[in-house]
Amino acid sequence: IIINAEKMFYLKSDEIIYTVGKTLINVDDQYYIEGYDLTFLKNKMILSSNKETTITDINSNVYKLAQFEYSINEEVLKGEKVFYRRNEQENKEDEYYFETGFFNLKNSKFLGTSTDIKFHKTLFDNEENDPRVKAATSYGDEYNTYLDKAVFTSCKKNNKCPPWKMRAKKMQHDKIKKQIIYKNAWLELYDFPVA
């Protein structure tokens, strides 16, 4: 672990390192952390901060968090007001927003509350669409995302309600098959349930 900071304090008896100001951390050339005023608990191998921080992994996936705690040994990240950009390929990045998020970086699993997902525009082979979903909670891995109390539409964004949307108790996004599967769902046209 390499830590670069404007100022750094090391409490040797407690094995705690505090940084003040802009801080850059390299964790095993796997994760690059950029933030302010970070705390490193050396005995527990935990990094944390109450300030906005950006974490980028070796695959160019990006996590921006208002505050976070990262367990280095378990590779578990938890944070508040999380923006996560999943990098699949050039110009095919999905963006996730969570009020609170938990991420197991070792096996690419996540759990989040108050979820907003903006899929890349070419997800359904039509660049005119703006596919997106909002959900109360979500969880998943690199192959599937599962959402509770979710609303999906692919209509182009405007200031009015979308012409159509699917509201479902449960929703699954199969990233491999590029399918969205609904359970207990309603199709709504201009906010009126029709089917």
Side-chain angles (χ1 to χ4, degrees):
I1 298 167
I2 300 168
I3 302 173
N4 293 298
E6 293 173 14
K7 289 183 183 176
M8 199 177 310
F9 298 95
Y10 179 35
L11 304 179
K12 189 169 171 58
S13 59
D14 297 323
E15 292 292 332
I16 299 173
I17 296 173
Y18 296 102
T19 69
V20 177
K22 188 172 183 178
T23 305
L24 302 172
I25 300 176
N26 177 339
V27 180
D28 296 326
D29 290 329
Q30 298 292 312
Y31 302 102
Y32 303 92
I33 301 169
E34 182 177 341
Y36 294 85
D37 304 344
L38 279 85
T39 301
F40 177 44
L41 306 177
K42 196 173 172 195
N43 287 338
K44 296 180 180 179
M45 295 299 283
I46 291 176
L47 278 166
S48 64
S49 177
N50 289 325
K51 302 252 173 104
E52 192 170 297
T53 303
T54 301
I55 301 173
T56 307
D57 70 19
I58 196 167
N59 297 315
S60 298
N61 295 309
V62 175
Y63 304 81
K64 292 184 180 181
L65 312 103
Q67 61 183 31
F68 82 98
E69 182 177 289
Y70 174 57
S71 172
I72 295 169
N73 291 339
E74 280 88 34
E75 291 186 56
V76 172
L77 172 67
K78 56 185 173 181
E80 300 289 325
K81 298 188 184 341
V82 182
F83 165 84
Y84 164 57
R85 186 176 66 229
R86 181 174 180 261
N87 183 27
E88 289 185 50
Q89 305 168 14
E90 184 89 18
N91 299 321
K92 291 196 175 186
E93 296 173 334
D94 295 334
E95 295 178 350
Y96 295 69
Y97 302 87
F98 306 99
E99 188 63 32
T100 304
F102 298 86
F103 305 87
N104 186 323
L105 304 178
K106 195 181 297 186
N107 59 21
S108 300
K109 291 187 176 181
F110 71 90
L111 171 67
T113 63
S114 299
T115 304
D116 289 343
I117 304 172
K118 290 191 325 189
F119 300 110
H120 58 274
K121 289 173 107 24
T122 59
L123 178 66
F124 299 109
D125 300 321
N126 183 351
E127 290 191 30
E128 295 298 313
N129 286 338
D130 286 321
R132 58 200 182 275
V133 66
K134 287 183 179 277
T137 59
S138 62
Y139 63 96
D141 55 29
E142 59 187 307
Y143 306 110
N144 289 285
T145 298
Y146 301 92
L147 305 123
D148 293 323
K149 297 180 184 172
V151 179
F152 170 81
T153 188
S154 64
C155 294
K156 194 169 184 71
K157 279 191 176 178
N158 58 35
N159 292 332
K160 301 174 186 171
C161 68
W164 74 269
K165 59 187 169 191
M166 290 292 290
R167 185 178 300 275
K169 189 173 181 182
K170 302 256 182 211
M171 198 179 288
Q172 175 190 353
H173 174 222
D174 186 320
K175 299 170 192 170
I176 305 303
K177 294 180 182 175
K178 297 183 182 179
Q179 292 179 338
I180 295 182
I181 302 152
Y182 306 93
K183 184 174 182 180
N184 295 341
W186 277 96
L187 170 63
E188 295 183 7
L189 299 178
Y190 292 100
D191 284 341
F192 291 100
V194 294

